[in-house]
Amino acid sequence: MLKQKQKLLAQANQQLQQFAQVVNGDQPVRPVKPNETLRVGIDLGTSSIVMVVLDQQDQIIYGNFEYDQAVRDGLVVNFIDSVHILERLKQQAETVLGVTLTTACGAIPPGTGAGSAKIVTNVIEAAGFVCRRIVDEPTAAARFLHVKNGTVVDIGGGTTGISVFKGRKLTQVSDEPTGGLHMTLVLAGHHHWEMATAEKAKRDEAQEADVFAVIRPVVEKMATITRQTTQGKPQQPVIVVGGAINFKEFIDTFSQTLGTPAHKPDYPQFVTPIGIAMYDYDA
Ligand SMILES: Nc1ncnc2c1ncn2[C@@H]1O[C@H](COP(=O)(O)OP(=O)(O)OP(=O)(O)O)[C@@H](O)[C@H]1O
Ligand SMILES: [Mg+2]
């Protein structure tokens, strides 16, 4: 069982590394046939908009992203900005791929309702796609990670989202307001820095050891939230994704407070977007 889990994570890591190699570049993983139909996933996040292009066998073809401020707490707050970013991403990907991207799939945080699904659909369609489906973010992540039973913890810009899966079904969700933004706040407060300075320092590998020492309590808080939400007995395996976990010491610190080992895929910010693209097919 443990071997099987490791094999699946290794498989996911291979695809994530492949994605990281082509993202925002000028070459796809392989040439695209002139009439080939591709799958597109769009993740409208609070800190970036990510687009993923897969082939019909769910193999990575291409991807790109832009940072944005058009979405807050998982909800689109600036419709026009989101549409413009997505139009640019679509145009740039089509130039690299030499084909037109026609369909796409989007996602929303669980429990945010029909209203936000409608807004995400409208952004995707205004950018020139036919939106075939809106899925919920953890379900997309779980699909890419092949999680049948387990806990997916998604730590993005603003929140820690916890989703429990049993028999591929989402059985419990919660979203608590502690995310990457809170790490930046703590770092800025500690050094009396502007937020922009703290955000830059947070992502600077050269400063990672000093940064992590300051933000460690925020990571422990994230793990405490996860432990409490899952009554101290999280469904195994626990997989943590999202951009905010990009620290070498993150997963050990998180696991220690959680009281059980958690797993971190490579390039955790791309897990959900790739999963979203896997849903871009005819229902
Ligand atoms: N290299 C890095 N080191 C540390 N933190 C990072 C790094 N890269 C991104 N982040 C942080 O990750 C967070 C964004 O993560 P992610 O891209 O998963 O969010 P999102 O999907 O846009 O947001 P959300 O899921 O909350 O809507 C931000 O707080 C950002 O500062
Ligand atoms: Mg996200």
Side-chain angles (χ1 to χ4, degrees), residues 8-143:
L8 290 177
L9 198 61
Q11 221 173 53
N13 282 342
Q14 201 183 358
Q15 283 180 288
L16 286 158
Q17 282 159 17
Q18 205 169 37
F19 186 80
Q21 269 170 19
V22 293
V23 73
N24 285 0
D26 55 10
Q27 291 292 328
V29 170
R30 63 158 174 84
V32 174
K33 295 178 204 90
N35 56 357
E36 189 172 347
T37 329
L38 299 170
R39 293 183 174 166
V40 177
I42 292 157
D43 188 351
L44 300 173
T46 50
S47 87
S48 61
I49 296 186
V50 186
M51 192 173 94
V52 174
V53 182
L54 304 178
D55 68 13
Q56 294 298 317
Q57 281 70 49
D58 287 338
Q59 296 303 302
I60 307 275
I61 299 295
Y62 188 65
N64 51 11
F65 70 88
E66 267 190 45
Y67 292 110
D68 82 293
Q69 298 294 325
V71 184
R72 238 168 267 143
D73 299 330
L75 302 172
V76 176
V77 292
N78 191 328
F79 184 83
I80 296 296
D81 278 4
S82 303
V83 172
H84 285 164
I85 292 172
L86 198 48
E87 280 173 342
R88 279 200 295 275
L89 292 175
K90 181 175 190 284
Q91 176 68 57
Q92 192 261 350
E94 288 175 346
T95 304
V96 169
L97 298 167
V99 295
T100 305
L101 300 171
T102 53
T103 61
C105 180
I108 52 169
T112 47
S116 62
K118 185 78 190 130
I119 295 168
V120 171
T121 303
N122 288 345
V123 170
I124 291 173
E125 302 223 312
F129 293 99
V130 172
C131 181
R132 284 211 271 200
R133 207 186 313 253
I134 300 292
V135 294
D136 68 78
E137 291 172 0
T139 299
R143 176 161 180 152

Side-chain angles (χ1 to χ4, degrees), residues 153-272:
V153 184
D154 182 359
I155 310 179
T159 62
T160 294
I162 299 147
S163 310
V164 180
F165 289 87
K166 287 186 185 149
R168 288 189 212 285
K169 289 264 172 300
L170 189 54
T171 57
Q172 189 194 343
V173 292
S174 84
D175 211 23
E176 294 293 325
T178 304
L181 173 69
H182 304 80
M183 294 172 166
T184 309
L185 277 168
V186 166
L187 196 61
H190 180 85
H191 291 289
H192 304 287
W193 284 341
E194 299 284 328
M195 284 297 279
T197 310
E199 180 66 36
K200 213 163 147 220
K202 188 180 76 171
R203 296 174 189 226
D204 178 6
E205 261 189 67
Q207 300 187 52
E208 189 168 326
D210 294 340
V211 165
F212 198 79
V214 176
I215 60 127
R216 181 187 296 273
V218 185
V219 177
E220 288 164 352
K221 167 95 187 286
M222 291 159 169
T224 301
I225 291 171
T226 308
R227 195 184 46 186
Q228 285 170 348
T229 304
T230 56
Q231 283 86 43
K233 288 197 286 291
Q235 176 77 44
Q236 303 283 351
V238 180
I239 302 178
V240 194
V241 303
I245 76 166
N246 273 307
F247 298 95
K248 285 185 205 81
E249 290 179 66
F250 182 97
I251 207 69
D252 285 346
T253 303
F254 186 94
S255 299
Q256 212 162 40
T257 305
L258 183 64
T260 182
H263 308 273
K264 166 184 172 281
D266 295 336
Y267 305 99
Q269 66 273 35
F270 297 137
V271 168
T272 302

